[in-house]
């Protein structure tokens, strides 16, 4: 059993990870500035787990606040989720992204160093691969970042790898996630995007609730079985469990690793629409639009390293992803028939 600080622990992936850690008997402390999360998340976590997690409202860029938090709550490791994550916003405001993500990570690592906390699990992203030539993607594929957001993730990875290489950190895992979707099956926690969702699943849910008229499918002439883009989606509960297992691996091994987290199964846009309609009974009207520049035909991860190192494998399938996304989104939209 470990004591763990989750930066960004009130966010989408962080809150699900808090549940996964609590279920495995770990003690969780949350540090979040609530910039992109709801203030009632800690209450929701209490309802779900029966545990009240200490919550520190602080910004990771504030070294003194992070040091004080770590001094007040001595932990064995940090899981570092706190970051900004919107590609479009990163292109519109690069300095904000460099400041929040890179300076924020440096300040956090300084605070960890001051308190002699030397184990970290880091939220990276498969976006660091850019447009890979082939799939499944292996961790040794070249990194070809295509956005400022992606670049910040790669710099954050490099910071962590360098500190591990020079002995400042004892153990570190850079976890490169594919596309997280879904919500806790209780529908007590989930993703709360504001404005127009950037991602396919939340957008599709909003079409199904009637908040949006139709789904735009960008391109149906790719070299894929049905012509639409193929991606790897991962249920957030599987992703959360992967963090718990990665943490336990780092507690037992003084190593630095970079690991993909995905199902390894490519799902096309139309596969996802069909699975959603089948599992929810809701129609998702869609229109085929021209391809978007920069989109690749097919993109999915090889998750073999995660299985080998952490003993982790995705357990939930595309129907689970659709069902749990819909239950959460329908509840948010006040639809009673779910
Ligand atoms: N959701 C995805 O599609 C995805 C994919 C790959 C990687 N990631 C990475 O996973 C991590 C978590 O993503 P998420 O989807 O849960 O995002 P999220 O926005 O729901 O969670 C991030 C949390 O961090 C907090 N935060 C942001 N900046 C902070 C700061 N400076 N100080 C303290 N707290 C701060 C936010 O308030 C929020 O609660 C991020 O690092 C993201 O880059 C996400």
């Amino acid at each position: 059993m470990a004591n763990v600080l989750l930066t960004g622990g009130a966010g989408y992936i962080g809150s699900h990870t808090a549940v996964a850690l609590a279920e495995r008997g770990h003690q969780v402390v949350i540090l979040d500035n609530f910039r992109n999360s709801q203030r009632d998340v800690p209450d929701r976590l209490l309802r779900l787990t029966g545990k009240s997690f200490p919550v520190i409202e602080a910004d990771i860029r504030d070294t003194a606040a992070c040091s004080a938090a770590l001094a007040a709550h001595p932990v064995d490791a940090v899981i570092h989720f706190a970051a900004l994550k919107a590609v479009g916003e990163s292109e519109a405001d690069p300095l904000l992204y460099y400041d929040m993500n890179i300076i924020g990570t440096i300040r956090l690592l300084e605070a960890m160093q001051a308190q002699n906390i030397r184990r970290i699990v880091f939220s990276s992203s498969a976006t660091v691969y850019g447009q890979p030539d082939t799939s499944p993607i292996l961790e040794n594929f070249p990194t070809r970042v295509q956005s400022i957001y992606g670049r910040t993730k790669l710099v954050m990875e490099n910071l962590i790898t360098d500190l591990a290489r020079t002995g400042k950190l004892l153990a570190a895992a850079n976890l490169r996630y594919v596309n997280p979707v879904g919500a806790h099956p209780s529908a007590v926690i989930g993703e709360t995007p504001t404005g127009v969702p950037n991602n396919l699943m939340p957008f599709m849910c909003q079409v199904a609730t009637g908040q949006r008229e139709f789904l735009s499918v960008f391109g149906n002439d790719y070299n894929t079985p049905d012509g639409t883009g193929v991606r790897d989606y991962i249920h957030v509960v599987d992703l959360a469990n992967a963090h718990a297992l990665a943490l336990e691996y780092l507690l037992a091994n003084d190593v630095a690793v970079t690991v993909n987290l995905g199902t390894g199964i490519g799902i096309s846009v139309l596969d996802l629409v069909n699975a959603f309609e089948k599992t929810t009974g809701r129609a998702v009207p869609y229109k085929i639009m021209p391809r978007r520049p920069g989109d690749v035909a097919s993109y999915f991860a090889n998750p073999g390293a995660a299985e080998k190192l952490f003993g982790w494998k995705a357990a939930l399938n595309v129907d689970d992803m659709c069902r749990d996304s819909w239950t959460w989104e329908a509840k948010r939209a006040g639809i009673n028939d779910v």
Side-chain angles (χ1 to χ4, degrees):
M1 194 175 87
N3 294 305
V4 197
L5 181 102
L6 308 192
T7 73
Y12 173 45
I13 305 167
S15 58
H16 288 81
T17 302
V19 174
L21 291 167
E23 282 171 352
R24 294 176 71 84
H26 300 297
Q27 300 290 330
V28 172
V29 181
I30 289 173
L31 185 146
D32 204 300
N33 66 358
F34 293 94
R35 183 188 167 103
N36 197 36
S37 44
Q38 311 298 311
R39 286 184 183 276
D40 67 352
V41 168
D43 291 339
R44 290 168 180 262
L45 292 173
L46 174 62
R47 264 165 65 199
L48 256 180
T49 64
K51 290 185 183 162
S52 180
F53 304 123
V55 178
I56 296 135
E57 184 167 346
D59 193 297
I60 52 165
R61 291 168 298 175
D62 183 344
T63 311
C66 291
S67 282
L70 291 169
H73 302 277
V75 293
D76 303 294
V78 169
I79 306 185
H80 179 28
F81 297 102
L84 299 182
K85 60 170 184 177
V87 168
E89 187 186 39
S90 76
E91 294 294 313
D93 196 345
L95 287 178
L96 175 68
Y97 271 66
Y98 286 126
D99 184 38
M100 279 292 209
N101 292 0
I102 298 175
I103 303 291
T105 299
I106 292 172
R107 297 286 171 257
L108 172 71
L109 290 166
E110 283 170 354
M112 287 173 63
Q113 206 160 293
Q115 301 301 325
N116 199 27
I117 293 155
R118 299 172 71 192
R119 296 177 196 277
I120 188 166
V121 177
F122 170 59
S123 293
S124 187
S125 169
T127 198
V128 298
Y129 296 114
Q131 298 183 23
D133 298 330
T134 57
S135 282
I137 305 163
L138 283 161
E139 289 83 354
N140 62 4
F141 276 25
T143 50
R144 298 175 181 155
V145 292
Q146 291 184 310
S147 68
I148 287 161
Y149 165 67
R151 194 177 321 285
T152 66
K153 287 276 130 178
L154 193 57
V155 172
M156 292 154 93
E157 275 196 11
N158 291 339
L159 276 168
I160 289 167
T161 307
D162 280 345
L163 292 198
R165 186 175 53 76
T166 53
K168 307 282 188 263
L169 287 169
L170 279 181
N174 290 319
L175 303 181
R176 293 178 173 168
Y177 324 151
V178 296
N179 305 293
V181 294
H184 193 274
S186 63
V188 172
I189 53 171
E191 192 175 13
T192 48
T194 48
V196 182
N198 284 321
N199 298 328
L200 176 58
M201 182 69 93
F203 198 100
M204 199 162 64
C205 286
Q206 293 194 2
V207 173
T209 62
Q211 293 169 77
R212 307 203 181 270
E213 203 186 334
F214 62 88
L215 174 73
S216 299
V217 176
F218 297 103
N220 66 347
D221 55 355
Y222 285 109
N223 184 20
T224 60
D226 64 22
T228 64
V230 165
R231 297 289 178 273
D232 192 348
Y233 299 92
I234 184 170
H235 196 297
V236 67
V237 169
D238 272 333
L239 188 56
N241 288 331
H243 286 77
L245 293 176
L247 169 78
E248 288 165 15
Y249 175 76
L250 294 190
L251 293 170
N253 297 280
D254 292 351
V255 285
V257 293
T258 296
V259 174
N260 289 335
L261 292 179
T263 63
I265 298 168
I267 306 278
S268 77
V269 179
L270 293 186
D271 287 338
L272 201 63
V273 170
N274 292 335
F276 188 92
E277 290 187 329
K278 186 189 76 183
T279 50
T280 68
R282 290 266 162 169
V284 181
Y286 65 85
K287 286 188 188 169
I288 304 294
M289 309 295 244
R291 292 182 182 193
R292 280 183 308 198
D295 277 354
V296 287
S298 188
Y299 190 107
F300 52 97
N302 180 325
E307 184 170 8
K308 190 167 154 226
L309 296 174
F310 310 151
W312 173 87
K313 206 174 166 185
L316 299 168
N317 64 24
V318 65
D319 291 348
D320 301 315
M321 298 178 204
C322 292
R323 185 198 58 233
D324 294 339
S325 298
W326 171 243
T327 310
W328 165 252
E329 196 62 43
K331 191 172 161 194
R332 288 212 313 142
I335 294 172
N336 298 323
D337 65 349
V338 288

